[in-house]
């Protein structure tokens, strides 16, 4: 492995524990409760205890602060902690910050988690009638659902690149096939292209099966140094690098006020990620691409450089892409702000996915695409 | 119609201006669409802000524009949506690019600024279509909207 030389990183981080509670429509516990159980499960998976934990990072949208979680669990002292904003953009950056805390030597065992009762807890957009800040120019028009903003992006991508409905339909069908092999996935019924094409419009041009699930889920991940990982009874999953990006004129949950319509912050994340990791798309064996909505997949293959701009439909139709979203992803396994993609990325490198790709050396995981976001590469071998 | 909680739950979301955005909404009340423009470098700026993002000059100037532009993108709003819109769907939501180069959200309305229940098919809504500004009164709030020309 080539260790990137332009960054001062004196030791590598590795994921040593993962855990997910069963996904459901009604988990029957608080987000605090689910999060605590997920963290304990991930620590047990790593063979570590609460007493070892000295760092915690979370999404801003996580309802339990890291202080409350540390207090509940009995963590003796947090030396590094913090949170990342912007919904589904926070996934890879949250794990990336945990890795950075370890790489810097400021923490040794860091926990990240996401617990969200998005199904039983209702729709967060449904009750906010006072439109402040940037919302005052959108919410009065009823533009409140994430799908509406994505539809405005998707319409433009379809127009610009000439996508047929089958381009996004293939994503829905492929991910459902993965979910059918995953006993933990919420949606395992067969899904055909005809089912997809016949599904009702939610926000044109996005159909029902373009949209992710609404899930109650709780998951956690534990990271430590690659050196310490060697003393644990686990298959360490090394963090080769990560990157974050906003692009210019970002408005938090949409990118259509940006200077060039059609781009997303991934355009800025991708080159930084490849620079930070010393890798290129050809080195990546399997990917977990953020998938709140199907159009994000072809666009991500282009923006991360797996194929050229406008080439994704042919690239994917010919099967030249690496396998993606092998757990079923947000569309068919569960939607927990992309955290399940991170957990599946770890499984692929461990060799324990239900849709295991052979000889995985590197797995790319990306987070939300029209939000400030990031991406991370998990690897079998250390630097 | 009964009064009370049921009515409130069906209320439209309302813009809550602050000092940086008040001139925009004041303009709407006077039937004028105002966009900020930097007096120093001429850059048109959206959304409202206290400093020019191109040259960092404070205090961009609120400037009336025609509102002429084209459809940069669009969607059709369908259930489930906020209760206030439940009996108004489907309707077309536009991302309009003004001729001065900034993009705003608005409804597709008819030539008189009235509500249009539509999925856009009959009107032939498509990216690139020219649009003209209309103000649509939504429970006392004049919202910038657009009609096809
Ligand atoms: Zn300026």
């Amino acid at each position: 492995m080539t260790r990137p030389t332009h960054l001062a990183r004196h030791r590598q981080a590795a994921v040593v524990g993962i855990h997910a509670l069963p996904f459901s429509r009604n988990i029957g516990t608080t987000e605090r409760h689910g999060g605590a159980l997920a963290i304990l499960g991930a620590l047990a998976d790593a063979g570590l205890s609460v007493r070892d934990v000295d760092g915690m990072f979370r999404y801003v949208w996580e309802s339990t602060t890291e202080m409350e979680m540390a207090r509940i669990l009995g963590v003796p002292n947090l030396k590094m902690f913090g949170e990342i904003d912007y919904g589904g953009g926070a996934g890879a950056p949250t794990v990336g910050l945990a890795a950075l805390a370890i790489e810097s030597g400021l923490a040794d065992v860091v926990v990240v988690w996401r617990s969200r009762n998005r199904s039983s807890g209702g729709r967060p957009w449904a009750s906010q009638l006072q439109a402040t800040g940037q919302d005052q120019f959108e919410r009065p028009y009823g533009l409140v659902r994430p799908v509406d903003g994505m539809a405005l992006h998707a319409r433009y991508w379809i127009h610009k690149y000439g996508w047929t409905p089958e381009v996004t339909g293939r994503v829905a069908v492929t991910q459902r096939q993965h979910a059918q092999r995953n006993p933990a996935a919420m949606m395992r019924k067969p899904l055909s292209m005809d089912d997809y094409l016949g599904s009702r419009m939610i926000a044109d041009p996005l159909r029902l099966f373009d949209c992710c699930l609404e899930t109650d889920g709780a998951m956690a991940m534990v990271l430590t140094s690659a050196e310490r990982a060697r003393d644990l009874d686990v298959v360490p999953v090394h963090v080769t690098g990560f990157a974050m990006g906003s692009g210019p004129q970002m408005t938090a949950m949409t990118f259509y006020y940006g200077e060039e319509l059609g781009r997303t912050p991934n355009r800025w994340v991708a080159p930084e990620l490849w620079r930070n990791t010393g890798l290129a798309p050809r080195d990546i064996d399997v990917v977990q691409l953020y998938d709140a909505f199907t159009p994000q997949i072809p666009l991500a293959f282009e923006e991360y450089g797996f194929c050229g701009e406008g080439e994704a439909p042919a690239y994917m139709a010919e099967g030249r892409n690496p396998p993606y979203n092998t757990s079923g992803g947000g569309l068919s396994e569960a939607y927990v702000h992309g955290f399940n993609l991170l957990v599946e990325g770890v499984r692929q490198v461990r060799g324990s996915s239900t849709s295991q790709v052979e000889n995985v050396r590197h797995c790319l995981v990306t987070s939300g695409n029209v939000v400030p976001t990031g991406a991370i590469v998990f690897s079998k071998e250390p630097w | 119609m009964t009064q009370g909680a049921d009515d409130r739950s069906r209320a439209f979301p309302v813009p809550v201006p602050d000092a940086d955005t008040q001139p925009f909404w004041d303009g709407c009340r006077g039937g004028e669409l105002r966009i900020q423009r930097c007096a120093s470098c001429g850059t048109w700026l959206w959304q409202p802000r206290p400093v020019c993002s191109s040259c960092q000059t404070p205090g961009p100037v609120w400037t009336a524009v025609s509102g002429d532009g084209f459809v940069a993108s669009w969607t059709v709003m369908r259930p489930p949506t906020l209760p206030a819109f439940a009996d108004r769907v489907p309707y077309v939501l536009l991302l309009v690019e003004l001729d001065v180069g900034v993009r705003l959200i608005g409804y597709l309305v008819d030539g008189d600024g009235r509500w249009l229940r539509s999925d856009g098919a009959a009107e032939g809504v498509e990216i690139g279509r020219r649009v003209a500004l209309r103000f649509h009164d939504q429970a006392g709030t004049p919202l910038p909207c657009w009609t096809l020309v």
Side-chain angles (χ1 to χ4, degrees):
Chain A
M1 270 300 304
T2 313
R3 178 174 171 171
T5 53
H6 71 286
L7 297 173
R9 300 161 75 179
H10 77 267
R11 63 174 187 172
Q12 192 169 18
V15 180
V16 291
I18 50 173
H19 190 69
L21 302 191
F23 302 118
S24 70
R25 297 210 177 281
N26 188 346
I27 201 167
T29 61
T30 61
E31 291 173 339
R32 178 189 303 112
H33 188 156
L37 295 182
I39 292 169
L40 291 174
L43 286 167
D45 184 45
L48 292 166
S49 89
V50 161
R51 305 235 145 244
D52 296 306
V53 175
D54 59 3
M56 274 189 158
F57 292 92
R58 65 171 169 115
Y59 293 45
V60 162
W61 290 26
E62 181 63 41
S63 61
T64 311
T65 67
E66 60 275 26
M67 289 308 130
E68 183 179 9
M69 190 57 82
R71 187 177 73 238
I72 289 167
L73 295 174
V75 174
N77 176 43
L78 284 180
K79 292 153 68 177
M80 283 291 284
F81 47 87
E83 53 275 337
I84 293 277
D85 203 348
Y86 313 118
T94 302
V95 178
L97 281 195
L100 203 56
I102 290 160
E103 290 176 14
S104 69
L106 292 172
D108 285 312
V109 175
V110 182
V111 163
V112 295
W113 83 101
R114 186 76 180 104
S115 175
R116 194 181 194 207
N117 293 355
R118 177 64 175 76
S119 174
S120 64
R123 292 164 167 151
W125 46 263
S127 60
Q128 299 149 5
L129 297 180
Q130 301 287 303
T132 58
Q134 67 190 46
D135 285 349
Q136 69 191 278
F137 306 105
E138 299 197 335
R139 191 167 285 272
Y141 299 94
L143 203 174
V144 295
R145 305 177 303 176
V147 67
D148 303 321
M150 179 54 64
L152 291 169
H153 291 284
R155 173 85 66 186
Y156 185 78
W157 295 328
I158 288 168
H159 165 83
K160 182 176 183 185
Y161 299 122
W163 292 356
T164 62
E166 285 77 8
V167 171
T168 42
R170 184 179 301 113
V171 173
V173 170
T174 298
Q175 292 195 202
R176 182 61 59 83
Q177 288 166 351
H178 293 151
Q180 287 181 277
R181 289 188 288 271
N182 175 7
M186 291 183 74
M187 288 294 281
R188 303 177 63 205
K189 282 188 299 191
L191 179 74
S192 69
M193 184 65 84
D194 283 345
D195 294 335
Y196 169 84
L197 295 171
S199 67
R200 68 186 172 93
M201 288 288 179
I202 302 293
D204 308 31
L206 299 178
R207 296 167 166 81
L208 177 65
F209 292 122
D210 288 309
C211 302
C212 64
L213 307 175
E214 293 181 315
T215 306
D216 286 6
M219 282 166 288
M221 193 175 283
V222 179
L223 295 91
T224 188
S225 67
E227 191 181 3
R228 187 163 178 180
R230 283 195 285 274
D231 297 332
L232 301 172
D233 185 22
V234 298
V235 177
V237 173
H238 299 90
V239 177
T240 292
F242 87 105
M244 295 165 62
S246 68
Q249 298 296 310
M250 172 34 87
T251 40
M253 289 295 141
T254 58
F255 203 55
Y256 43 64
Y257 302 118
E259 292 176 11
E260 185 181 337
L261 192 57
R263 294 194 170 199
T264 84
N266 282 333
R267 289 268 175 182
W268 286 265
V269 174
E272 196 60 28
L273 180 77
W274 300 132
R275 203 167 83 97
N276 288 356
T277 56
L279 298 172
R282 65 177 172 277
D283 300 313
I284 301 297
D285 305 298
V286 56
V287 296
Q288 314 297 333
L289 303 174
Y290 190 84
D291 61 343
F293 303 100
T294 56
Q296 295 174 299
I297 304 301
L299 204 74
F301 276 125
E302 295 183 6
E303 293 196 316
Y304 280 90
F306 287 86
C307 61
E309 184 175 359
E311 293 175 3
Y315 174 75
M316 295 173 72
E318 293 161 14
R320 289 186 277 137
N321 54 285
Y324 59 91
N325 300 10
T326 44
S327 68
L331 300 171
S332 283
E333 184 192 37
Y335 181 69
V336 195
H337 259 159
F339 206 95
N340 54 318
L341 299 175
L342 291 156
V343 170
E344 173 68 3
V346 170
R347 282 195 215 103
Q348 281 288 354
V349 176
R350 285 183 169 188
S352 63
S353 169
T354 51
S355 293
Q356 184 62 45
V357 174
E358 279 184 36
N359 302 318
V360 172
R361 294 167 307 139
H362 303 290
C363 178
L364 167 69
V365 187
T366 72
S367 295
N369 78 339
V370 294
V371 293
T373 191
I376 194 163
V377 174
F378 294 131
S379 304
K380 187 87 176 167
E381 301 297 328
W383 284 329
Chain B
M1 205 177 210
T2 57
Q3 298 296 309
D6 189 50
D7 277 356
R8 283 197 299 277
S9 73
R10 294 183 69 86
F12 290 103
V14 291
V16 180
D18 57 34
D20 292 332
T21 66
Q22 188 66 51
F24 176 84
W25 295 108
D26 289 346
C28 291
R29 295 214 172 271
E32 186 174 274
L33 183 65
R34 297 176 182 168
I35 303 293
Q36 287 178 308
R37 189 178 200 191
C38 176
S40 178
C41 74
T43 300
W44 293 93
L45 300 157
W46 183 257
Q47 299 173 333
R49 62 198 66 189
V51 170
C52 171
S53 313
S54 281
C55 74
Q56 290 71 48
T57 300
V61 180
W62 286 101
T63 307
V65 298
S66 70
D68 289 344
F70 64 90
V71 177
S73 193
W74 62 287
T75 183
V76 182
M77 305 290 278
R78 299 178 186 274
T81 187
L82 292 175
F85 297 90
D87 53 8
R88 295 187 158 224
V89 292
Y91 65 93
V92 173
L93 194 76
L94 302 172
L95 177 69
V96 169
E97 183 162 327
L98 300 182
D99 291 341
V100 297
V102 300
R103 299 186 200 104
L104 279 75
I105 293 292
Y107 299 131
L108 177 70
V109 292
D110 74 9
D112 297 318
R114 287 180 306 218
W115 189 260
L116 205 56
R117 185 195 292 269
S118 166
D119 65 1
E123 294 79 11
V125 181
E126 58 181 13
I127 288 174
R129 281 286 303 267
R130 294 291 302 175
V131 292
L133 176 71
R134 296 289 185 273
F135 284 95
H136 173 76
D137 186 288
Q138 180 163 287
T141 301
L143 296 177
C145 291
W146 282 268
T147 189
L148 297 172
V149 293

